[in-house]
Amino acid sequence: MGDTETYTVTGPDGEEESFELPAGLVDVLSEQGEPSTRVVTDVIVQAMAQQAHVIAHHSEGDVPDDIAEMNETAEELFEERFGQSLQDALGHSH
């Protein structure tokens, strides 16, 4: 196995989870001078917004109101962070 880098996420209740990524991968994804933590958190926000979208729009049956609200909030946070809607980023809308 190659070299790795450790990142840690801290939850709202103070719990922490560390994870390893291949060394240099974050640098490949970053723009020059961009902090590595920004790159990692961008990916986390993007992945969570995409997962919320899948649950809210691609599940069978009706979606509970709380799930729909979480998805809506995730879409708003995505747009605030990246300056474009999640629908534009995904290339489709509902």
Side-chain angles (χ1 to χ4, degrees), residues 49-72:
Q50 288 175 324
Q51 291 301 310
H53 172 86
V54 168
I55 293 166
H57 295 291
H58 298 276
S59 298
E60 292 188 27
D62 292 332
V63 175
D65 289 342
D66 62 333
I67 299 294
E69 184 178 346
M70 285 181 222
N71 176 64
E72 188 175 311

Side-chain angles (χ1 to χ4, degrees), residues 18-34:
S18 294
F19 58 96
E20 301 289 321
L21 294 174
L25 177 60
V26 173
D27 293 334
V28 171
L29 299 173
S30 68
E31 296 179 12
Q32 188 171 8
E34 186 177 23

